[in-house]
Amino acid sequence: MSQLSPRMVALGTARSEIREAFAFAQARAAEVGPENVDDFSIGNPSVPAPPQVATLIRALTREIGPVRLHGYTPAQGDPQARRALADDLNARFGTDYDPDCLYLTVGAAAALCCALSAMGCPGDEFITFAPYFPEYKVFAESAGGTLITVPANIEDFQPDMEALRAAITPRTKAVLINTPNNPTGVVYSEATLRALGEVLTEGSRAYGHPIYLISDEPYREIVYTGAPLPWVPDYYPDTLVCYSYSKSLSLPGQRIGYVLVPRTVTDFDLVYAAVCGAGRALGYVCAPALFQLVVAQCGGLTSDLSVYRTNRDLLLDSLRSMGYTCAQADGAFYLFPRTPEPDARAFCERARKYDLVLVPGDSFGCPGHVRVSYCVPTEQIRRALPKFRALAAEYGLGK
Ligand code: PLP
């Protein structure tokens, strides 16, 4: 047998539980009809991209011509596109970013890989809070580090600062956060971000090097609080932001996002150079050219996100009234209720008897919970409610 990387073979062979659940739902839909299967496994936006995206593609094709439009851009992205994105951020957050603070990438996944690889040295630790997006472990290890997880605060899923303090060591290179959060739907409060900035400032001082904060924000625009999301770099100067248009513009397949390195970051020039170097080393140069130009002209635009709010209200209220315990989820398109038995995998197996497809919290480093991904037609939620109710009754919930 040829000599292959055992790690890569393992990563390519072991399917994630999310993918496995999705595949199960697809197989059941082929067997019993899609109208009988309620799949809440995956975070694929259920609303189309705004019509302006198609209009922009037509206009750009006409105006620029296919050769330039589909040609290579500089490795870090088209300068005019980066200018437009920096201007948009500045208008929204009162910042003064310039094009050379941005590195365009194929989605948030590549942005995270670039940010982590830019700073990862052998033996480094990256800290995140459970529950967390499972790929963080893969990305952190690819960057040469280890992912350290701080246990979940299951009351409201706001990160526990004392637990973070205890987890920081001389080897801590960065802390990775995600708000609004996948899988909980929780939006980190301003108090949380302020406290986080304080703990990281203390830790950086204590160990004599910056502990970076990496803020993963693909759900930034999907918030139901009515108030704009706090801008994370305002709370800690050593913050890098990883963003994606996958969810806000419903463009997950187009693979477009960025890393933002604000000039407040310690050793800015070196950090930005390292992000560019990581992009080069990973082969993530020149993000999809057409979509660089499209998103550059989409400042302030999102898909019609209103259905997610309708779904959140309907599902959260209904689950709670059935007796499920679920933290307030004011963003993204996920709920993370507690399972009525400690074994979330067993609960998901029971749910499958109703063709109700959920993902166990174990996948996200938080057993005893289940992720319900509600980026689905509202009709699917209505149809699934009796199934959730029947499951609740099996456990005697709500009595
Ligand atoms: N980070 C989080 C928290 C996500 O939920 C996702 C995708 O679901 C990603 C990163 C990756 O996003 P992208 O599709 O833009 O690579």
Side-chain angles (χ1 to χ4, degrees):
M1 201 177 75
S2 57
Q3 291 297 302
L4 300 170
S5 151
R7 177 168 180 259
M8 296 307 164
V9 172
L11 282 174
T13 310
R15 220 167 18 175
S16 82
E17 261 178 319
I18 303 173
R19 290 273 149 200
E20 192 279 322
F22 181 60
F24 170 84
Q26 301 264 295
R28 282 297 290 162
E31 256 174 66
V32 299
E35 68 285 3
N36 295 311
V37 180
D38 294 316
D39 179 13
F40 294 95
S41 66
I42 207 154
N44 221 352
S46 58
V47 292
Q52 289 92 326
V53 168
T55 310
L56 272 169
I57 293 172
R58 279 195 298 276
L60 286 165
T61 308
R62 239 186 356 257
E63 285 158 22
I64 297 185
V67 173
R68 209 200 118 207
L69 187 60
H70 302 302
Y72 287 120
T73 67
Q76 65 270 49
D78 178 86
Q80 283 165 11
R82 285 183 288 122
R83 164 96 276 155
L85 298 181
D87 288 348
D88 179 52
L89 288 170
N90 295 339
R92 289 165 67 192
F93 301 112
T95 48
D96 59 354
Y97 304 135
D98 58 80
D100 292 337
C101 298
L102 286 162
Y103 186 92
L104 303 194
T105 60
V106 285
L112 288 162
C113 287
C114 287
L116 291 164
S117 296
M119 54 185 71
C121 301
D124 277 353
E125 293 173 350
F126 297 110
I127 298 180
T128 199
F129 299 96
Y132 59 91
F133 183 54
E135 295 305 281
Y136 287 173
K137 185 167 156 54
V138 180
F139 300 161
E141 289 173 2
S142 294
T146 312
L147 188 73
I148 305 294
T149 57
V150 172
N153 161 18
I154 63 166
E155 289 316 310
D156 59 7
F157 293 112
Q158 295 288 328
D160 177 340
M161 289 307 144
E162 282 320 306
L164 172 63
R165 213 175 248 120
I168 291 177
T169 74
R171 292 178 301 282
T172 305
K173 183 57 69 70
V175 171
L176 181 50
I177 60 167
N178 167 226
T179 172
N181 186 266
N182 175 8
T184 63
V186 165
V187 175
Y188 290 0
S189 69
E190 207 178 342
T192 292
L193 295 177
R194 188 162 298 120
L196 182 59
E198 284 163 14
V199 173
L200 295 185
T201 304
E202 257 170 50
S204 303
R205 274 203 201 112
Y207 294 118
H209 63 83
I211 298 175
Y212 297 103
L213 179 60
I214 300 177
S215 182
D216 177 26
E217 306 187 357
Y219 303 95
R220 187 195 293 149
E221 286 76 19
I222 310 180
V223 239
Y224 317 120
T225 53
L229 208 63
W231 180 237
V232 178
D234 285 346
Y235 297 84
Y236 187 61
D238 276 314
T239 301
L240 279 70
V241 176
C242 295
Y243 183 72
S244 158
Y245 294 87
S246 295
K247 318 289 173 168
S248 60
L249 281 174
S250 304
L251 295 174
Q254 304 304 343
R255 314 305 300 134
I256 188 78
Y258 59 74
V259 184
L260 168 74
V261 186
R263 285 186 185 267
T264 51
V265 165
T266 309
D267 296 327
F268 165 83
D269 289 334
L270 292 178
V271 174
Y272 186 74
V275 168
C276 296
R280 181 178 170 194
L282 295 164
Y284 292 151
V285 289
C286 176
L290 169 60
F291 277 84
Q292 292 187 32
L293 301 184
V294 169
V295 297
Q297 294 195 43
C298 285
L301 189 68
T302 65
S303 308
D304 178 0
L305 305 172
S306 58
V307 67
Y308 299 140
R309 194 196 172 120
T310 306
N311 290 358
R312 192 284 306 255
D313 291 350
L314 175 63
L315 195 56
L316 183 58
D317 291 351
S318 305
L319 292 183
R320 282 176 171 168
S321 74
M322 291 171 199
Y324 292 98
T325 302
C326 189
Q328 187 58 30
D330 283 326
F333 35 55
Y334 308 102
L335 295 183
F336 201 60
R338 243 173 249 179
T339 48
E341 64 175 308
D343 184 346
R345 290 193 170 110
F347 176 79
C348 289
E349 275 309 309
R350 278 212 199 193
R352 284 188 183 189
K353 295 209 187 91
Y354 299 90
D355 284 317
L356 178 62
V357 184
L358 311 168
V359 182
D362 308 62
S363 279
F364 306 92
C366 190
H369 293 76
V370 70
R371 187 183 79 168
V372 189
S373 184
Y374 61 77
C375 45
V376 297
T378 309
E379 193 38 47
Q380 179 183 320
I381 296 180
R382 288 208 185 90
R383 195 176 63 194
L385 288 180
K387 299 183 180 183
F388 280 108
R389 194 169 295 114
L391 254 178
E394 283 193 35
Y395 290 96
L397 289 186
K399 281 198 177 141

